[in-house]
């Protein structure tokens, strides 16, 4: 007879219903998270971006601003995510050989982390690149959205293994 394994208690469900976890008893600590995303550009979209002929304007600047706004609106978009005070955020959007690279760092002092804020920042920024360049091509692809690292909180630090893809430009140790 196989040993019975105990089913772990679901943190976001109780009695089969969704709930927001109560973090009121947790101590607010400094937390930080970084994330990345890529936007793959077909030749016609890359040409429009490089030539500055995009009729909507500069996709990279718009995407950077959109990522900053997105990180602050995470709790409005992610159903069970707590609204937290974003202490600082940096979003970088650069044109690289492999496409548009999006990187974000988000910081807070709160009882819960900022991983979702960093992931939302890069995703919203990447979607804005798509929106700004979709007239040039509908074949633009958002890919590689992932958490690069986090620090602080009960679960401790995390660093993602290298992706095996293109190295992230200009993100190491800059503050």
């Amino acid at each position: 007879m196989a040993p019975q394994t105990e089913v772990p208690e679901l943190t976001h469900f109780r009695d089969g219903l969704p709930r927001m976890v109560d973090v009121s008893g947790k101590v607010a600590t400094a937390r930080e998270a970084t994330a990345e995303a890529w936007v793959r550009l077909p030749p016609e979209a890359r040409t429009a971006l490089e030539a500055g002929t995009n009729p909507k304007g500069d996709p990279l600047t718009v995407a950077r601003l959109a990522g900053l706004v997105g990180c602050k609106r995470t709790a409005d978009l992610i159903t069970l995510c707590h609204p937290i005070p974003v202490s600082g955020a940096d979003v970088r959007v650069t044109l690289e050989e492999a496409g548009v690279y999006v990187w974000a760092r988000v910081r807070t002092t709160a009882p819960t982390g900022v991983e979702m804020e960093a992931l939302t920042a890069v995703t919203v920024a990447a979607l804005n690149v798509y929106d700004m360049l979709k007239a040039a091509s509908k074949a633009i692809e958002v890919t590689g959205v992932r958490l690069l690292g986090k620090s602080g909180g009960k679960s401790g630090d995390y660093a993602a293994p290298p992706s095996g893809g293109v190295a992230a430009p200009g993100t190491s140790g800059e503050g």
Side-chain angles (χ1 to χ4, degrees):
M1 183 178 264
Q4 289 193 352
T5 58
E6 189 174 314
V7 177
E9 182 181 340
L10 299 175
T11 59
H12 288 70
F13 276 82
R14 178 150 303 139
D15 299 325
L17 299 173
R19 71 183 185 108
M20 182 177 268
V21 174
D22 183 356
V23 296
S24 62
K26 293 176 72 178
V27 175
T29 60
R31 299 158 187 265
E32 177 179 298
T34 56
E36 71 178 355
W38 284 93
V39 183
R40 306 295 182 195
L41 302 175
E44 57 275 19
R46 186 177 190 94
T47 299
L49 179 58
E50 289 178 330
T53 58
N54 187 48
K56 289 186 172 187
D58 178 10
L60 305 186
T61 300
V62 169
R64 185 174 187 168
L65 185 57
L68 291 168
V69 171
C71 84
K72 296 188 310 180
R73 301 299 304 260
T74 300
D76 294 334
L77 302 169
I78 307 300
T79 307
L80 299 176
C81 192
H82 290 84
I84 60 170
V86 172
S87 304
D90 184 14
V91 176
R92 300 176 191 175
V93 184
T94 57
L95 180 60
E96 306 296 331
E97 189 174 321
V100 175
Y101 180 70
V102 184
W103 176 91
R105 175 189 293 136
V106 183
R107 293 181 173 141
T108 191
T109 299
T112 189
V114 289
E115 298 90 16
M116 294 310 299
E117 285 73 11
L119 288 162
T120 300
V122 298
T123 304
V124 169
L127 289 171
N128 272 266
V129 171
Y130 184 98
D131 181 54
M132 294 290 290
L133 288 170
K134 69 184 176 193
S137 175
K138 304 293 189 274
I140 297 166
E141 183 180 328
V142 174
T143 187
V145 176
R146 70 182 188 136
L147 182 69
L148 293 173
K150 69 160 282 285
S151 63
K154 180 179 169 185
S155 66
D157 295 352
Y158 167 79
S163 68
V166 179
T171 59
S172 61
E174 297 178 24

